Amino acid sequence: MSLQVRPYRSEFEETVKNLSHKAWILFKYNRDYDHQRMSCVFNEDGNLICVGYLRHGIADSHDVFEVEMPTNELALNRMDEVRAALFPTFIETCQKLRNPNKKTKLVAWKDFYGDRAFYEGKGFSHFQTYYIARRSLEEPVPEVRTPVGVHVKYHPMESREERIQYTELENQFYQGVVYRSVNMLEWMMGGPELHTISAFEGDALVGSVMCWQTGAVERLFVIPRWRKKGLGRLLITKGFEYHLKNGRNEVETLVHEQNKEAMSLLESMGYTFPVKLVLMSMDI
C-alpha cells in the first residue's frame, strides 16, 4: 500500500487540528483559505500525516501559489513520498485557481521542506533569496528622535476601513509570496500575538512595523516622502522597546536579498544575517 491523498472534509477537522493548529485556524477563521485548496495525506494505517495547501499571493506580473505542508512525526522519514503524493494535487489546484491572463508560479521554500533535488527534478529553479535577520536585545537600544511632523503610536485598526487602508498601503511595498489581504490581516488580529506600531502625519498613515510574540519585528514600511529622515529607525526601536517590555531578549525579521536599503538599515541597527532561505519556483 502507499500514501493516500484525500480532499478535506468536515469530519477531518479534529485530526487536522491535532496535526497543525496553524492549518486548522487558517481554514476555520481566515476567509482567504477554502477547502478546495487543502489535501490530506494518510498513511497505510489511516493516520493523517500531512496537510497540503497553497497560499495565494499576488504580484504585478504574476500570481504566486506557495506550498505549505504541515506534517507530524509519522511523516519524518517519508517526506519524499509525501511530496510526490501531493505534487499532482498542487498542480491541479494551480490550474483550477490561476488567472489565465497572468503568469503563475508555484513556489516552495527549499529550507523548510528539504531536498532541493525533488523540486529541481520537477522543474523548479531559484526564484528568490531571503535572510533571517536577528538582533540580541541584550545590546543597547539606540536612541532615535521622532522626526518633526509625525507621531508614532500603537495602531489597533479597529474599523474595517482602517484595515483596508493599511493593507492597500502595505502591499505597495510587499508583493508576491508575502502579499497580504484584509482577510489575512483580520485573521492575524484575532489573537493576542500581533502588535502594530504606526507613524502618522496628521491622520495619514506614513509608516508602520508589526511585532509578534515570537520576537518578530517585521513588515516595516515607510512611504517615500518620509524616508531618510530616521522614521524607519524609530519604528524599529519602538519594536525593540515593545519586546523588551514583554521579556524577550532577541528579535528577528525576514528580508529579501535584493532589498539592499533594508539590509543596510537592519545592519546599522545591530542585526546580523545568520540564516539564508531559498525560494524555488516553477511556471504553471
Side-chain angles (χ1 to χ4, degrees), residues 249-279:
N249 58 18
E250 186 178 69
V251 292
E252 69 176 34
T253 190
L254 190 68
V255 59
H256 196 293
E257 179 184 50
Q258 294 183 357
N259 193 343
K260 301 302 183 184
E261 184 178 1
M263 292 188 70
S264 177
L265 173 61
L266 293 172
E267 188 172 22
S268 74
M269 300 292 289
Y271 281 85
T272 59
F273 308 92
V275 180
K276 182 178 182 179
L277 302 176
V278 175
L279 191 62

Side-chain angles (χ1 to χ4, degrees), residues 54 65 67 86-98 104 106 122 124 282-284:
L54 298 177
F65 289 92
V67 170
L86 281 172
F87 188 75
T89 300
F90 289 148
I91 297 296
E92 181 181 346
T93 302
C94 282
Q95 296 286 10
K96 185 184 302 182
L97 300 179
R98 68 184 296 267
T104 302
L106 178 63
K122 295 295 185 181
F124 282 72
M282 68 174 293
D283 292 333
I284 301 296

Side-chain angles (χ1 to χ4, degrees), residues 163-182:
R163 296 190 289 273
I164 291 171
Q165 291 174 345
Y166 188 98
T167 304
E168 289 177 347
L169 183 59
E170 182 188 48
N171 280 325
Q172 293 178 24
F173 306 97
Y174 294 97
Q175 292 197 353
V177 75
V178 288
Y179 163 86
R180 183 167 289 162
S181 69
V182 177

